[in-house]
Amino acid sequence: MEQKFLLLSERSRRDILSSMPREGDISKLADYFQNFSDSTRIKILTCLSMMNMCVNDISNLLGINQTTISHQLKQLKDQNIVAYRREGKILVYYLTNNNVNDMMMYAINAF
């Protein structure tokens, strides 16, 4: 059955479909943006945008238990949004890309 569009021309339809990200890329984007759907992760990202921090410092600063912070950091690490380096016995977490903070600020200002 042929689809009829009210405002969309055949050329526009082709242009839009050819510009559409591939399914794998769409999936990656959805996973990436899901990281910003949790208030604890946003708080952690805000902290890390200011300075590199360990779990204990983030936990004390935010008043959230270390287990929760560690769990959320693991999710962010799995998405390559944060990474860590070892300083003696302490793991120091940092943002892998400073554009994360810019993106969050852009979203805040969009409201």
Side-chain angles (χ1 to χ4, degrees):
M1 178 192 296
E2 184 180 326
Q3 295 179 343
K4 301 253 181 184
F5 298 102
L6 297 177
L7 301 176
L8 193 62
S9 69
E10 182 59 32
R11 180 183 172 143
S12 295
R13 185 187 77 78
R14 280 193 313 270
D15 290 345
I16 291 168
L17 290 176
S18 69
S19 298
M20 188 75 60
R22 296 184 314 255
E23 276 305 314
D25 293 336
I26 289 172
S27 229
K28 287 178 187 177
L29 279 169
D31 290 344
Y32 180 81
F33 282 109
Q34 187 174 12
N35 288 295
F36 303 96
S37 67
D38 180 88
S39 61
T40 300
R41 286 192 294 266
I42 290 173
K43 290 175 185 176
I44 291 168
L45 291 170
T46 301
C47 290
L48 294 177
S49 74
M50 303 298 286
M51 68 179 292
N52 302 341
M53 301 176 83
C54 66
V55 172
N56 184 64
D57 287 346
I58 297 170
S59 173
N60 288 329
L61 182 65
L62 298 179
I64 300 171
N65 70 57
Q66 288 187 14
T67 304
T68 300
I69 297 296
S70 293
H71 174 74
Q72 298 300 337
L73 282 168
K74 181 185 180 330
Q75 288 190 308
L76 293 167
K77 187 175 144 312
D78 290 347
Q79 288 291 319
N80 199 32
I81 294 173
V82 303
Y84 66 85
R85 70 175 180 280
R86 184 174 293 280
E87 291 185 8
K89 293 183 179 183
I90 298 173
L91 299 179
V92 177
Y93 288 85
Y94 59 91
L95 294 177
T96 59
N97 186 328
N98 290 328
N99 291 332
V100 169
N101 187 52
D102 294 341
M103 185 178 59
M104 289 192 310
M105 293 309 296
Y106 178 80
I108 287 170
N109 291 325
F111 298 115

